[in-house]
Amino acid sequence: MLNIAYVGFGKSTNRYHIPYVRQRPDKFHISRVVAPHIDKRPEERAALEKTGTIFSTDIQDIITHKTIDLVIVVTPAPTHFTVARQLLLAGKNILVDKPLVATAEEASKLVDLANQKGLFFMPFQNRRFDSDFLTLKHVLNAGYVGRPVELELHMDHYRPNDAKLTGSPMETTWFDHGAHLVDQIVSLFGAPQTVAYDLRSTRDLSATLSDQFEVNLFYQDAFKATVQSSETTVNHYPKWILHGTKGSYIKHNIDQQEYDLKTGIMPGDPGFGQDAPQDYGKVTYYNQNNDRLEKFIPSIQGDYGSVYDTIFETLVNEQPKLVSDDQLLTTMRILEAGVTGTNPHIVNFDH
C-alpha cells in the first residue's frame, strides 16, 4: 500500500481525486492533507480523519514525513511550478493537477529534476479515462473508419457571465480545457508537424484572457485534428467527430462521470458513469463488400481512478508512466505556443 498526501483540499481534490482513491483501499492510504483553509469542508475532513488522515496548514508536515510515497499537488495553477519544485527537491514523488505549469521550460526543469533524483513526476491526465475517449480509441483501433483523415474534439459550455478579464495564461480556457484535449490528441498521434491557433476573448471584449479556442494540429498523411472549446455555446457540438477513408464516427455527449460527480453520485454508486444507450456514439462505414452499415458503439466504462492504478503499477511494479515525459513536454510546447504572439497564428513544430 502507498501512503499519499494532498496539497490542496478544494473542489478538484474532493471531486476528481479522493472519491476514486477511496475505492482503492488496498492500494492507497491518504496519510496527510495540507491546505491553507482546512476547515472549509468539515464533512469531508471528518470522513478522512476517521481513516487516519492528518490535516494541517504547513507543507513542511509533508516534506518531513518520511513514509509518504506520493504527493498530489492540487493548488491554484500559478503555484504549481513552485510547489512541485519544492517537493521534488525534498525527494517526493509527485502528481500535479492540470494545467501543469506555465511554460515548456518550467516543465523541462521539473522533468530534469525528477529524473536526476529518480523520482516520479507526472501531470494528472484523468481524461485519458473518459468513456468517450476510450470508445474513440476502440473505434480507431478496430479500423471502422479506415485511415483517419479528420478528427474534431469539442468541450463546450454555456457560461456567458463568467468571464475572467486578466490573469496569467494558465487561467485561460486554452490552458484549462486545452491541457486535457491536447493531451488526448498527443497520446493518440504524437507530436504534430504544424499547429494553427485561433484564441479569442468572446464574453467580454475588454478581457486580456482568451475564453474560446479552435486549434488545428496537422500531421503526416493528410491528417488533421481539431480541438475546440467555447463558453458561449448554447447548443453544443458533438464531443467527437471522426472521418476516415472508410467511414465516420460521431459521439455527441460527454463522459457521464462528469455529470454524476457534479450531482453527488460517487464512484461505487450503482450506475455511476454509465452511458445510456441513446448516448452511444454511431459509426457509419463501408465493409469489404462495399455495404454501407450503421452501428451504435456501446461506450466503454470510464474511470478517472485508473490514473491512480497506473501510478501504483509504476511505483510498485516499475511499469512505464501513463503520461511519458515526451508527451507532457509536447503538450506543454503546444499550449505555450498558443499564448505566444498574436492570434490567429501558425507554428511549425516539425524541426
Side-chain angles (χ1 to χ4, degrees):
M1 181 183 292
L2 299 178
N3 287 315
I4 66 175
Y6 286 92
V7 183
F9 195 58
K11 179 186 72 175
S12 292
T13 305
N14 285 279
R15 179 181 291 176
Y16 299 109
H17 292 268
I18 289 176
Y20 292 95
V21 169
R22 297 191 71 177
Q23 291 293 305
R24 293 159 168 79
D26 57 325
K27 293 181 178 179
F28 301 98
H29 170 66
I30 302 174
S31 178
R32 284 188 174 272
V33 174
V34 166
H37 307 290
I38 58 177
D39 296 323
K40 283 189 172 182
R41 298 175 179 269
E43 293 183 3
E44 290 89 343
R45 176 181 174 180
L48 287 172
E49 287 179 330
K50 288 181 180 179
T51 65
T53 303
I54 299 172
F55 282 75
S56 72
T57 59
D58 189 352
I59 196 172
Q60 290 298 322
D61 293 332
I62 289 177
I63 288 174
T64 58
H65 198 295
K66 302 300 183 184
T67 64
I68 290 177
D69 301 298
L70 174 72
V71 182
I72 301 93
V73 178
V74 202
T75 58
T79 70
H80 284 177
F81 176 75
T82 300
V83 174
R85 184 174 183 275
Q86 182 181 15
L87 291 167
L88 288 172
L89 287 171
K92 302 298 183 183
N93 298 308
I94 60 172
L95 176 71
V96 183
D97 211 26
K98 63 84 186 173
L100 179 63
V101 287
T103 67
E105 182 181 6
E106 288 183 346
S108 183
K109 287 180 179 179
L110 294 178
V111 166
D112 290 344
L113 180 58
N115 289 334
Q116 289 167 11
K117 289 182 167 289
L119 297 170
F120 176 91
F121 167 63
M122 196 179 80
F124 181 61
Q125 290 292 4
N126 61 315
R127 292 193 179 276
R128 290 200 185 189
F129 295 100
D130 271 340
S131 64
D132 53 80
F133 178 64
L134 295 173
T135 309
L136 184 279
K137 288 176 64 177
H138 165 68
V139 169
L140 283 168
N141 293 334
Y144 281 114
V145 303
R147 175 172 56 81
V149 174
E150 191 160 6
L151 176 65
E152 292 184 28
L153 168 54
H154 294 264
M155 184 176 286
D156 299 318
H157 305 95
Y158 184 63
R159 301 166 177 167
N161 301 315
D162 295 341
K164 186 175 178 61
L165 300 185
T166 61
S168 76
M170 293 185 77
E171 297 171 276
T172 61
T173 300
W174 170 234
F175 264 73
D176 186 20
H177 299 333
H180 282 312
L181 306 188
V182 172
D183 172 75
Q184 288 180 326
I185 298 301
V186 168
S187 73
L188 290 173
F189 304 105
Q193 296 177 318
T194 304
V195 179
Y197 296 91
D198 175 12
L199 279 61
R200 287 176 282 155
S201 302
T202 59
R203 288 177 291 186
D204 189 316
L205 299 181
S206 68
T208 61
L209 291 179
S210 62
D211 58 14
Q212 179 166 315
F213 63 80
E214 179 179 343
V215 176
N216 306 123
L217 297 87
F218 296 90
Y219 289 84
Q220 292 180 344
D221 300 325
F223 174 67
K224 180 182 76 173
T226 298
V227 293
Q228 187 169 357
S229 180
S230 170
E231 301 296 322
T232 57
T233 305
V234 176
N235 292 320
H236 297 176
Y237 289 95
K239 180 64 186 292
W240 295 94
I241 303 172
L242 171 64
H243 300 299
T245 55
K246 295 182 179 179
S248 298
Y249 171 74
I250 296 177
K251 172 75 167 72
H252 280 272
N253 220 336
I254 68 171
D255 187 300
Q256 294 298 311
Q257 291 179 89
E258 186 82 9
Y259 292 135
D260 288 349
L261 290 168
K262 288 180 178 179
T263 57
I265 303 171
M266 291 289 113
D269 291 342
F272 174 79
Q274 293 181 3
D275 260 3
Q278 61 265 28
D279 290 325
Y280 293 167
K282 184 174 76 171
V283 63
T284 305
Y285 65 103
Y286 286 85
N287 65 12
Q288 292 180 346
N289 294 328
N290 206 34
D291 301 315
R292 179 187 168 97
L293 303 174
E294 293 185 353
K295 182 176 182 180
F296 287 93
I297 307 296
S299 299
I300 297 173
Q301 182 70 45
D303 182 0
Y304 295 155
S306 294
V307 175
Y308 281 90
D309 293 333
T310 70
I311 294 171
F312 185 89
E313 290 300 316
T314 298
L315 294 180
V316 175
N317 297 318
E318 299 182 349
Q319 293 300 305
K321 292 189 295 185
L322 170 69
V323 184
S324 71
D325 292 343
D326 284 344
Q327 288 173 339
L328 79 85
L329 290 172
T330 295
T331 296
M332 279 306 313
R333 293 185 189 105
I334 294 170
L335 290 175
E336 182 182 7
V339 295
T340 303
T342 303
N343 273 284
H345 66 284
I346 297 174
V347 177
N348 180 19
F349 288 90
D350 192 17
H351 55 269

